[in-house]
Amino acid sequence: MLSFADFGSDNHSGVHPDILDALRNVNEGYTVAYGLDKYTKKAVEQMKEIFGKQSAIFFVYNGTAANILGLKTVTDSFHSVFCAESAHLTVHECCGPECFIGCKLVNIPTSDGKLTVDLIQPYLIGVGDAHMAQPHVISLTQATERGTTYRPKEIQKLADFAHKHDMLLHMDGARLCNAAAFLNVGLNEICGKVGVDVLSFGGTKNGMMYGEAVVFFNKALAKNFEFIRKQGMQLTSKMRYISTQFSAFLSNDLWLQNASHANEMAHLLARQIQNIPGVQITQKVEANMVYAKIPNQCITRLQRQYYFHRFNEHTCEVRLMCSFTTKPEDVLSFAQAIRKALDAT
Amino acid sequence: MLSFADFGSDNHSGVHPDILDALRNVNEGYTVAYGLDKYTKKAVEQMKEIFGKQSAIFFVYNGTAANILGLKTVTDSFHSVFCAESAHLTVHECCGPECFIGCKLVNIPTSDGKLTVDLIQPYLIGVGDAHMAQPHVISLTQATERGTTYRPKEIQKLADFAHKHDMLLHMDGARLCNAAAFLNVGLNEICGKVGVDVLSFGGTKNGMMYGEAVVFFNKALAKNFEFIRKQGMQLTSKMRYISTQFSAFLSNDLWLQNASHANEMAHLLARQIQNIPGVQITQKVEANMVYAKIPNQCITRLQRQYYFHRFNEHTCEVRLMCSFTTKPEDVLSFAQAIRKALDAT
Amino acid sequence: MLSFADFGSDNHSGVHPDILDALRNVNEGYTVAYGLDKYTKKAVEQMKEIFGKQSAIFFVYNGTAANILGLKTVTDSFHSVFCAESAHLTVHECCGPECFIGCKLVNIPTSDGKLTVDLIQPYLIGVGDAHMAQPHVISLTQATERGTTYRPKEIQKLADFAHKHDMLLHMDGARLCNAAAFLNVGLNEICGKVGVDVLSFGGTKNGMMYGEAVVFFNKALAKNFEFIRKQGMQLTSKMRYISTQFSAFLSNDLWLQNASHANEMAHLLARQIQNIPGVQITQKVEANMVYAKIPNQCITRLQRQYYFHRFNEHTCEVRLMCSFTTKPEDVLSFAQAIRKALDAT
Amino acid sequence: MLSFADFGSDNHSGVHPDILDALRNVNEGYTVAYGLDKYTKKAVEQMKEIFGKQSAIFFVYNGTAANILGLKTVTDSFHSVFCAESAHLTVHECCGPECFIGCKLVNIPTSDGKLTVDLIQPYLIGVGDAHMAQPHVISLTQATERGTTYRPKEIQKLADFAHKHDMLLHMDGARLCNAAAFLNVGLNEICGKVGVDVLSFGGTKNGMMYGEAVVFFNKALAKNFEFIRKQGMQLTSKMRYISTQFSAFLSNDLWLQNASHANEMAHLLARQIQNIPGVQITQKVEANMVYAKIPNQCITRLQRQYYFHRFNEHTCEVRLMCSFTTKPEDVLSFAQAIRKALDAT
């Protein structure tokens, strides 16, 4: 067991006290199961305030499910989904999308985790040719797996391109809050208002216990979702316990406080280590993570004390993740430990 | 909103206070995600105490997932799974098993929800014939969807039959605790010790918030489960919160207290209504539910006050469900209301 | 190797000489692949003459594919398809429909292989309930696997019922020609004109080498078929060789001659054996097969000389199949052999 | 309709007369369906002579099916299959592999269609990590889609690498004959003898009408194939007509004659056009195709007379395909037409 702070994942933190309280507050009495309860109604209304009256909102257990089932609802088995080659969807969902949707993920190389029209264009081939997977969705991650964020205009441009080619725009928003906090905009400014069609909206990485939302900005797209969610093993019986978490998460700017703090800690960490000789920060630090190259020996030495991951097992690039519970003093100590580890090698 | 007690589902109750406390108790500090944490290790050990050292134990979010992913791990796409025609697996999982496993569910008619060797035998055809789905699993529900329970010897007989024909025995144990409580035996006396190969072990209907376990009694069968769980959208990141619920559930006989209470309330209800003229109890009352025929008009009238379901929309048979929170006084009032409704018609 | 005639399957016969000639006649020169050739255009036109100008016609390799891919095109993974419990779709396609469509097949018991509204009605449950597979298609087999046929009015009634409940009517027409020949009607009188939405139209059992057609009577339903066919491994490269078979099959009443002959042979066989003591004909003889109960010992003895199948390995009911190549003298000899076998026991 | 020769595809040619004769020769009499007949037995024996006594051989309708079903038999839904980014498997099977196997195809960039250990190595990540698709198969195409061929030693090296990492080696041999003819080796020298585990062996592009074989070099791997083939819609009823084609194809060196001729025509074409100013041959010409860059206007002009494809709709690289029916005089005329078209621009 490591005695120091953990920069491995924003999933390694616990649950915010407000969320725990919310769980306790809905515990009394009988409540109809599967989402027909008053707590779910309230949470959905709160979300419609944010994402628009025309949206359709559904809760699932986790982000992998939000991605896979949201996409399954709007794609056929012969479709292709364009995503960054670093996208969680293609790298870290154990080919769930291929297995459960039947579609092809087209992995597009991009150095900073962000897609652009120019990057996608060469992959837009075979439309109407029965031998080839049919382009149908562009999937963005906001904030990206590389810690970068899409500006509203960038998203709008991708949305326009998608729609012009009869495609949809999907957004994996596991860290949408971190992106909004960094960009200093409302949540919907970087999804529904700039052309996103389907969103996975995440809470777990930002202080919730479990639960993720799928948002369809045009409810006509959501027609089959309830069947696909049940079939997809993601209809929770005691729905009130997910709904109340979202209610609390969206109240009193809890989402924003948590995300801002996590981002700030990443920025602090970046400032602390950017000038250490031997450390090379490899991505712009925007959301709550820092990517850096550190010599191999230092990684090994540091991992005896701190939990964090290599980005790729073949390289010496590491991912350092901050969360709503990261303490400034732990960031400072960690930076200090990196400095020491480098001195020692 | 109904002001009276709810006999609609054991999912309509909240969460037991011990479970809520357990969630709070693991909340401090960083914990590695995805099941490598100490809380999960402890819960798995507690479960191995019960289900045997040779077992392999995994947590998922819900019962539908436990059934589908447990079965997917041990079947191929050309296999068939025999189940009662009333099984949750085939009736209430929105053809998830067919979609995600690719197998055929063979629905076997049975009046009390229980399978026997004699009932299954005629369906055991086509072995080795490439045109036909290959018999591979018998799936039992314990307690059944009809509230009845399998005795240990009955299970052993089915297990022997299954194994003799190179099949496996699966058990949907969403209400395993209710069955064990009714039969007055340990949990493993009605699964692992009598030949069950794969078990879905449920906690949610019996006082937990979310979380279900898949138990493979021979860990060799579990070889691929971790990949199938992740791909199947059921690997929770903050695993400690499922694990600690199971730890609490299995401590201080909480599972047994909750299940016994729910069963007793069903038995009380049955005693109260069995002699009401016009009411016909249609299934042996063993676990926590009562099936009864009530005239159509009464059903309509009663549903204005009480939440409960018809078993089949074409008939006047109703399912009355009790849970760990059902109060004796509510049972008595409900019985009284049934009496009144019948008098009024 | 058996030296006598074969009553095992209409697939055991060879290919009609006209079909072989047709293959040779299109062999010269280059032809664009995958169905854009003139032979395919011609065959499709011939079929539209029969099935209507609004229909969309596609060729695949075999009947299992025609069924599975035709249905996949019009169903979602959470749908259910109602069929007779004896349907090829559910009995003899090795759970391909479940695996490749993801749907549930609802097997409806029926003594003569035919469905009726009354038989289906009790299974029409759960509409709109996300826990349950959603009724979406009724699939008939014409002629049925039990040798019986649907009259046009019977089909219309099922079509009206299906459409009233927002379902589609599918027909497995592997032996559509035999049904039309028996009923003395045109092919479309028992499909498109009486409300069938999707048809598998078979030629292989009736004198072709390989090749089956999927007919969508409203071409809007066919929107995705070409992608699903390619993905489903059923787009033949050298399409001209399927198309030309269909052209020959539909010319000079070849389909009708072949089917009529096969039917007549079955009727002759039935007349020859119906009065043999110990033989019990178990189904009305309409198309090209005879179902009969024969004592077990006779079956064993007869199978030394003649190839034929038991209908169910647990019973002594046999299926005796005639084809376009069955000779009257072989029918008479076979009837004689049955008589002898019964005398000997 | 174009009046000149066709360089669009080796699928645009007809069927070799020996194949047509073979079809006629097996047409008489009854033959048991689904592959239990003597013609199939004979064809399988011929193939075992070539591919080894330990192999298991099965026939399917086409190459897409051979690839998908061969791979499905040896992979699980959470596996990944490495292939060249130009592989038919990933480009031209309309995401059938993803849909029917459930696996991930990892597209590896390669300029000449050939994979090497060095190219694959960086993609070999995440072994044992439940979040990531598990590397399981390397799939080669021989000859490649770019017309190049793997030497026996190159294949052996890839096989050793695959096996060392507990992976299997699959070969798409739609043009295995062309590769063997070019390399002047026996068929098994470039598959079974150098470590290939599963082979799709093609005949259609080389003179057959339809039919492809799946070869498992170790029959233990083939355990489930017959079920997967039937479920996968690829069990032909009148199997004798595929089997006899393979018998003829493998007799009298027909496969070799046809493949050699096709290759020679491609080499002739390459020699004729390589020195035309404005034409740039882009791949080594080994098997039966020539890749070349030709100015856009010329492509348009030439396609008025000759049928051929662009390799990629965004570029001016074309694929010129020869077959067993390509005539030398047509090659010469085509080269002349290219010269003229270039002169005219």
Side-chain angles (χ1 to χ4, degrees):
Chain A
M1 197 59 58
L2 304 170
S3 50
F4 290 82
D6 181 318
F7 296 88
S9 168
D10 32 13
N11 282 322
H12 292 185
S13 292
V15 172
H16 192 278
D18 289 4
I19 300 289
L20 278 180
D21 289 346
L23 291 173
R24 196 173 286 269
N25 290 340
V26 298
N27 198 48
E28 273 309 298
Y30 298 104
T31 300
V32 65
Y34 301 118
L36 302 171
D37 62 283
K38 64 182 177 184
Y39 306 108
T40 302
K41 200 170 167 227
K42 182 186 158 195
V44 166
E45 274 163 16
Q46 283 174 274
M47 293 192 70
K48 286 192 171 191
E49 286 295 319
I50 296 168
F51 294 115
K53 294 295 174 203
Q54 287 311 305
S55 65
I57 316 277
F58 304 93
F59 299 128
V60 296
Y61 286 112
N62 65 1
T64 296
N67 282 341
I68 293 178
L69 301 184
L71 285 169
K72 184 176 172 72
T73 302
V74 300
T75 58
D76 277 308
S77 61
F78 53 83
H79 283 148
S80 58
V81 176
F82 298 134
C83 63
E85 68 175 0
S86 54
H88 193 271
L89 192 67
T90 192
V91 179
H92 285 112
E93 300 184 356
C94 200
C95 53
E98 289 92 342
C99 182
F100 292 128
I101 306 174
C103 66
K104 177 178 281 296
L105 299 182
V106 177
N107 294 350
I108 299 179
T110 158
S111 58
D112 61 356
K114 292 170 66 176
L115 292 178
T116 65
V117 169
D118 285 351
L119 287 173
I120 296 169
Q121 188 81 60
Y123 293 88
L124 188 65
I125 53 171
V127 175
D129 177 349
H131 294 74
M132 299 178 79
Q134 294 299 295
H136 193 67
V137 180
I138 297 171
S139 178
L140 312 178
T141 313
Q142 172 80 316
T144 73
E145 290 79 3
R146 300 294 258 152
T148 54
T149 60
Y150 289 93
R151 272 61 181 169
K153 275 190 190 166
E154 294 172 324
I155 299 167
Q156 185 69 61
K157 215 166 162 186
L158 284 156
D160 292 344
F161 176 75
H163 298 152
K164 182 179 151 200
H165 292 283
D166 288 325
M167 296 193 288
L168 298 170
L169 190 63
H170 172 264
M171 182 171 276
D172 177 348
R175 295 189 185 93
L176 189 77
C177 297
N178 300 86
F182 170 72
L183 296 168
N184 197 26
V185 297
L187 289 167
N188 207 28
E189 312 294 317
I190 46 174
C191 45
K193 289 202 181 151
V194 285
V196 170
D197 297 293
V198 188
L199 170 72
S200 299
F201 178 56
T204 309
K205 292 180 195 301
N206 200 20
M208 282 175 49
M209 186 182 285
Y210 67 110
E212 197 100 352
V214 182
V215 180
F216 297 89
F217 291 94
N218 173 350
K219 69 180 126 200
L221 287 174
K223 193 179 144 230
N224 293 332
F225 187 79
E226 292 188 78
F227 300 107
I228 286 170
R229 175 176 61 180
K230 172 63 200 179
Q231 176 178 73
M233 304 167 272
Q234 288 285 330
L235 178 57
T236 189
S237 54
K238 296 181 171 175
M239 183 80 83
R240 55 173 135 169
Y241 298 98
I242 292 183
S243 306
T244 195
Q245 290 184 69
F246 270 107
S247 281
F249 187 65
L250 296 173
S251 299
N252 307 317
D253 280 347
L254 180 59
W255 69 268
L256 182 57
Q257 282 175 45
N258 284 356
S260 297
H261 177 83
N263 291 354
E264 282 161 22
M265 292 302 99
H267 288 254
L268 175 62
L269 179 59
R271 285 194 305 274
Q272 290 292 319
I273 67 173
Q274 66 192 351
N275 297 320
I276 300 177
V279 170
Q280 181 197 347
I281 292 186
T282 53
Q283 295 288 342
K284 273 191 211 163
V285 178
E286 300 189 343
N288 61 322
M289 64 194 97
V290 177
Y291 279 91
K293 285 194 182 156
I294 299 179
N296 253 318
Q297 298 157 275
C298 292
I299 295 175
T300 313
R301 183 185 300 260
L302 281 162
Q303 285 182 331
R304 285 185 211 131
Q305 292 187 304
Y306 290 93
Y307 198 108
F308 61 91
H309 291 289
R310 285 170 193 268
F311 174 59
N312 178 319
E313 62 198 73
H314 293 320
T315 73
C316 63
E317 189 176 7
V318 300
R319 187 190 74 165
L320 308 173
M321 207 71 142
C322 297
S323 82
F324 79 101
T325 65
T326 305
K327 293 177 194 152
E329 55 266 34
D330 287 335
V331 171
L332 299 177
S333 312
F334 184 42
Q336 189 58 27
I338 293 173
R339 199 181 301 271
K340 264 194 209 161
L342 271 152
D343 286 350
T345 57
Chain B
M1 196 59 57
L2 303 170
S3 52
F4 290 81
D6 181 318
F7 296 89
S9 170
D10 33 12
N11 281 323
H12 292 185
S13 292
V15 171
H16 193 278
D18 289 5
I19 301 290
L20 278 180
D21 290 346
L23 292 172
R24 198 172 285 269
N25 291 340
V26 298
N27 198 48
E28 274 309 299
Y30 298 104
T31 301
V32 65
Y34 301 117
L36 301 171
D37 62 282
K38 65 181 175 184
Y39 307 109
T40 302
K41 199 171 167 224
K42 182 185 158 195
V44 167
E45 274 164 16
Q46 283 173 274
M47 292 193 70
K48 285 195 171 190
E49 284 295 318
I50 295 168
F51 295 115
K53 294 293 173 203
Q54 286 312 304
S55 64
I57 316 277
F58 304 93
F59 299 128
V60 295
Y61 286 114
N62 64 2
T64 296
N67 282 341
I68 293 178
L69 301 184
L71 285 169
K72 185 175 171 71
T73 303
V74 299
T75 57
D76 277 310
S77 62
F78 53 83
H79 282 148
S80 58
V81 175
F82 298 134
C83 62
E85 66 174 0
S86 54
H88 193 272
L89 191 67
T90 191
V91 179
H92 285 112
E93 299 184 355
C94 200
C95 53
E98 287 93 342
C99 182
F100 292 129
I101 306 175
C103 67
K104 178 179 280 297
L105 298 183
V106 178
N107 293 351
I108 299 179
T110 156
S111 58
D112 62 356
K114 291 169 68 176
L115 292 178
T116 64
V117 169
D118 285 351
L119 287 172
I120 297 168
Q121 186 82 59
Y123 293 87
L124 188 65
I125 53 172
V127 174
D129 177 350
H131 293 74
M132 300 177 79
Q134 295 299 296
H136 193 68
V137 180
I138 296 171
S139 177
L140 312 178
T141 313
Q142 172 81 315
T144 73
E145 291 80 4
R146 300 295 257 151
T148 54
T149 59
Y150 290 92
R151 272 59 182 171
K153 275 189 188 166
E154 293 172 324
I155 299 166
Q156 184 69 63
K157 217 165 161 185
L158 284 156
D160 291 345
F161 176 75
H163 298 151
K164 181 179 152 200
H165 292 282
D166 287 326
M167 295 193 288
L168 297 171
L169 191 62
H170 172 263
M171 181 170 276
D172 177 346
R175 295 188 185 94
L176 190 78
C177 297
N178 300 87
F182 170 72
L183 296 168
N184 197 25
V185 297
L187 289 165
N188 208 28
E189 312 293 317
I190 47 174
C191 47
K193 288 203 180 149
V194 285
V196 170
D197 297 293
V198 188
L199 169 73
S200 299
F201 178 57
T204 309
K205 293 179 195 299
N206 201 19
M208 281 175 49
M209 184 182 286
Y210 66 108
E212 197 100 354
V214 182
V215 180
F216 297 88
F217 291 93
N218 173 349
K219 70 181 128 198
L221 287 174
K223 192 179 145 232
N224 292 333
F225 187 79
E226 292 187 79
F227 300 106
I228 285 170
R229 175 175 63 178
K230 173 63 201 178
Q231 176 179 73
M233 305 167 271
Q234 288 285 330
L235 179 58
T236 190
S237 54
K238 296 181 172 175
M239 184 80 83
R240 54 172 137 168
Y241 298 99
I242 292 183
S243 307
T244 193
Q245 290 185 70
F246 270 107
S247 280
F249 188 65
L250 296 173
S251 299
N252 307 317
D253 280 346
L254 179 60
W255 69 270
L256 182 56
Q257 282 175 46
N258 284 357
S260 297
H261 178 82
N263 291 355
E264 281 162 21
M265 291 301 99
H267 287 254
L268 175 62
L269 178 60
R271 284 194 307 272
Q272 291 291 320
I273 68 172
Q274 66 192 351
N275 296 320
I276 300 178
V279 170
Q280 183 197 346
I281 293 185
T282 52
Q283 293 288 343
K284 273 190 208 161
V285 178
E286 299 189 343
N288 60 322
M289 65 193 96
V290 177
Y291 279 92
K293 285 193 181 156
I294 299 180
N296 254 316
Q297 299 157 277
C298 293
I299 294 175
T300 314
R301 184 184 299 260
L302 281 162
Q303 285 181 332
R304 287 186 211 130
Q305 293 186 305
Y306 289 93
Y307 198 107
F308 62 91
H309 291 288
R310 284 171 194 267
F311 174 57
N312 178 319
E313 61 197 74
H314 294 319
T315 74
C316 63
E317 188 177 7
V318 300
R319 188 190 74 165
L320 308 173
M321 207 70 141
C322 298
S323 83
F324 80 100
T325 65
T326 305
K327 291 176 193 154
E329 55 267 35
D330 288 335
V331 171
L332 299 177
S333 311
F334 184 42
Q336 189 58 25
I338 293 174
R339 200 179 301 270
K340 266 194 207 160
L342 270 153
D343 286 349
T345 56
Chain C
M1 197 57 58
L2 304 170
S3 49
F4 290 82
D6 181 317
F7 296 88
S9 169
D10 33 11
N11 281 322
H12 292 184
S13 292
V15 172
H16 192 278
D18 289 5
I19 301 289
L20 279 180
D21 289 346
L23 291 173
R24 196 171 286 269
N25 290 340
V26 298
N27 197 50
E28 273 309 299
Y30 298 103
T31 301
V32 65
Y34 301 119
L36 303 170
D37 61 284
K38 63 182 177 183
Y39 306 108
T40 302
K41 199 170 169 227
K42 182 185 158 196
V44 166
E45 274 164 16
Q46 283 173 276
M47 293 193 69
K48 285 193 171 190
E49 285 295 318
I50 295 169
F51 295 116
K53 294 294 174 203
Q54 288 311 305
S55 64
I57 316 275
F58 303 94
F59 299 128
V60 295
Y61 287 113
N62 65 3
T64 296
N67 282 341
I68 293 178
L69 300 184
L71 286 168
K72 184 176 172 71
T73 303
V74 299
T75 59
D76 276 311
S77 62
F78 53 83
H79 282 148
S80 58
V81 175
F82 298 134
C83 62
E85 67 174 0
S86 54
H88 193 273
L89 193 67
T90 192
V91 179
H92 285 112
E93 299 184 355
C94 201
C95 54
E98 290 91 342
C99 182
F100 293 129
I101 307 174
C103 67
K104 178 179 281 296
L105 298 182
V106 178
N107 294 350
I108 299 179
T110 158
S111 58
D112 62 355
K114 291 170 67 177
L115 292 178
T116 64
V117 169
D118 285 351
L119 287 173
I120 297 168
Q121 187 81 62
Y123 293 87
L124 188 65
I125 54 172
V127 175
D129 177 350
H131 293 74
M132 299 177 79
Q134 295 299 295
H136 192 68
V137 180
I138 297 172
S139 178
L140 312 178
T141 313
Q142 172 78 319
T144 73
E145 290 79 3
R146 300 295 257 152
T148 54
T149 60
Y150 290 92
R151 271 61 181 171
K153 275 191 189 165
E154 293 173 326
I155 298 166
Q156 185 68 62
K157 216 167 160 184
L158 285 157
D160 292 345
F161 176 76
H163 298 151
K164 182 179 150 199
H165 292 282
D166 288 326
M167 295 193 287
L168 298 170
L169 190 62
H170 171 264
M171 182 172 275
D172 176 348
R175 295 188 185 93
L176 190 78
C177 297
N178 300 87
F182 171 71
L183 295 168
N184 197 24
V185 297
L187 288 166
N188 207 28
E189 312 293 317
I190 46 174
C191 48
K193 288 203 181 150
V194 285
V196 169
D197 298 293
V198 189
L199 169 74
S200 299
F201 178 57
T204 310
K205 292 180 194 302
N206 200 21
M208 281 175 49
M209 186 183 285
Y210 66 109
E212 197 101 352
V214 182
V215 181
F216 298 89
F217 290 93
N218 173 349
K219 70 181 127 199
L221 286 175
K223 195 179 142 229
N224 293 331
F225 187 79
E226 292 188 78
F227 301 107
I228 285 170
R229 175 175 62 179
K230 172 62 201 180
Q231 176 179 73
M233 305 167 271
Q234 288 286 329
L235 179 58
T236 189
S237 54
K238 296 180 172 176
M239 183 81 83
R240 55 174 137 169
Y241 297 98
I242 292 184
S243 306
T244 195
Q245 290 185 69
F246 270 108
S247 281
F249 188 64
L250 296 173
S251 299
N252 307 318
D253 280 346
L254 179 60
W255 69 268
L256 183 57
Q257 282 175 45
N258 284 356
S260 298
H261 178 83
N263 291 354
E264 281 161 24
M265 292 301 99
H267 288 254
L268 174 62
L269 178 60
R271 284 196 305 274
Q272 291 292 318
I273 67 172
Q274 64 192 350
N275 296 320
I276 300 177
V279 170
Q280 183 197 346
I281 292 186
T282 52
Q283 295 287 341
K284 274 191 211 162
V285 177
E286 299 189 341
N288 61 321
M289 65 193 95
V290 177
Y291 278 92
K293 284 193 182 157
I294 299 179
N296 253 318
Q297 298 157 275
C298 292
I299 295 175
T300 313
R301 184 184 300 259
L302 282 161
Q303 285 182 330
R304 284 184 214 132
Q305 293 185 305
Y306 289 93
Y307 198 106
F308 62 90
H309 290 289
R310 284 169 194 268
F311 174 58
N312 178 320
E313 62 198 73
H314 294 319
T315 73
C316 62
E317 188 177 7
V318 299
R319 187 189 74 164
L320 308 173
M321 207 70 144
C322 298
S323 82
F324 79 102
T325 65
T326 305
K327 292 176 193 154
E329 55 267 33
D330 287 336
V331 171
L332 298 178
S333 311
F334 185 40
Q336 189 59 24
I338 293 175
R339 199 180 302 271
K340 264 195 207 160
L342 271 152
D343 285 350
T345 56
Chain D
M1 196 59 57
L2 304 170
S3 51
F4 291 81
D6 182 316
F7 296 89
S9 170
D10 33 12
N11 282 322
H12 292 185
S13 292
V15 172
H16 192 279
D18 290 4
I19 301 289
L20 278 180
D21 290 345
L23 291 172
R24 198 172 284 270
N25 291 339
V26 298
N27 198 49
E28 274 309 298
Y30 298 103
T31 301
V32 65
Y34 301 117
L36 302 171
D37 62 283
K38 64 182 176 185
Y39 306 108
T40 303
K41 199 171 169 225
K42 181 186 158 194
V44 167
E45 273 164 16
Q46 284 174 274
M47 292 193 69
K48 286 194 171 190
E49 286 295 319
I50 294 168
F51 295 115
K53 295 294 172 203
Q54 286 311 305
S55 64
I57 316 277
F58 304 94
F59 299 128
V60 295
Y61 286 113
N62 65 2
T64 296
N67 281 341
I68 293 179
L69 300 184
L71 285 168
K72 185 175 171 69
T73 302
V74 299
T75 58
D76 277 310
S77 61
F78 53 84
H79 282 148
S80 58
V81 175
F82 298 133
C83 62
E85 67 174 1
S86 54
H88 193 272
L89 192 68
T90 192
V91 179
H92 284 112
E93 300 185 354
C94 200
C95 53
E98 289 91 341
C99 181
F100 292 128
I101 306 175
C103 66
K104 178 179 279 298
L105 299 182
V106 178
N107 293 350
I108 299 179
T110 157
S111 58
D112 61 356
K114 291 170 68 175
L115 293 178
T116 65
V117 168
D118 285 351
L119 288 172
I120 297 169
Q121 186 81 60
Y123 293 89
L124 188 65
I125 54 173
V127 175
D129 177 349
H131 294 73
M132 300 178 79
Q134 296 299 295
H136 193 67
V137 180
I138 297 170
S139 178
L140 312 178
T141 312
Q142 173 79 317
T144 74
E145 291 79 3
R146 300 296 255 152
T148 54
T149 60
Y150 289 92
R151 271 60 180 169
K153 273 192 190 166
E154 294 173 325
I155 299 167
Q156 184 70 60
K157 216 166 161 184
L158 285 156
D160 292 345
F161 176 75
H163 298 152
K164 180 180 151 198
H165 292 283
D166 287 326
M167 296 193 288
L168 297 170
L169 190 62
H170 172 263
M171 180 170 278
D172 177 348
R175 295 188 184 93
L176 190 76
C177 297
N178 299 87
F182 170 71
L183 295 169
N184 197 25
V185 297
L187 289 166
N188 208 28
E189 312 295 317
I190 47 175
C191 46
K193 288 204 181 150
V194 284
V196 170
D197 298 293
V198 188
L199 169 73
S200 299
F201 177 57
T204 310
K205 292 180 194 301
N206 200 21
M208 281 175 49
M209 185 183 286
Y210 66 107
E212 196 100 353
V214 182
V215 180
F216 297 89
F217 291 93
N218 172 351
K219 69 181 127 198
L221 287 174
K223 193 178 144 232
N224 293 332
F225 187 79
E226 292 188 78
F227 300 106
I228 285 170
R229 175 175 62 178
K230 172 63 200 178
Q231 175 179 74
M233 306 168 271
Q234 288 285 330
L235 179 57
T236 189
S237 53
K238 297 181 172 176
M239 183 79 84
R240 53 174 137 168
Y241 298 98
I242 293 184
S243 306
T244 194
Q245 289 184 70
F246 269 108
S247 281
F249 188 66
L250 297 173
S251 299
N252 307 318
D253 279 346
L254 179 60
W255 69 268
L256 183 56
Q257 282 176 45
N258 285 355
S260 297
H261 177 83
N263 291 354
E264 281 161 22
M265 292 301 99
H267 288 254
L268 174 62
L269 178 60
R271 286 194 305 272
Q272 291 291 320
I273 68 173
Q274 66 192 350
N275 296 320
I276 300 177
V279 170
Q280 181 197 346
I281 292 186
T282 52
Q283 294 287 343
K284 272 190 211 163
V285 178
E286 299 190 341
N288 61 321
M289 65 193 96
V290 177
Y291 279 92
K293 286 192 182 157
I294 299 180
N296 255 317
Q297 299 157 274
C298 293
I299 294 176
T300 313
R301 184 183 299 260
L302 281 162
Q303 285 182 331
R304 286 187 210 129
Q305 293 187 305
Y306 289 93
Y307 198 108
F308 61 91
H309 292 288
R310 283 170 194 268
F311 175 59
N312 178 320
E313 62 197 76
H314 294 320
T315 73
C316 63
E317 188 177 7
V318 301
R319 187 191 73 164
L320 309 172
M321 207 71 143
C322 298
S323 81
F324 78 101
T325 65
T326 306
K327 291 175 194 155
E329 54 267 34
D330 289 334
V331 171
L332 298 178
S333 309
F334 184 43
Q336 187 61 22
I338 294 174
R339 196 178 306 269
K340 266 194 207 161
L342 271 154
D343 285 350
T345 58

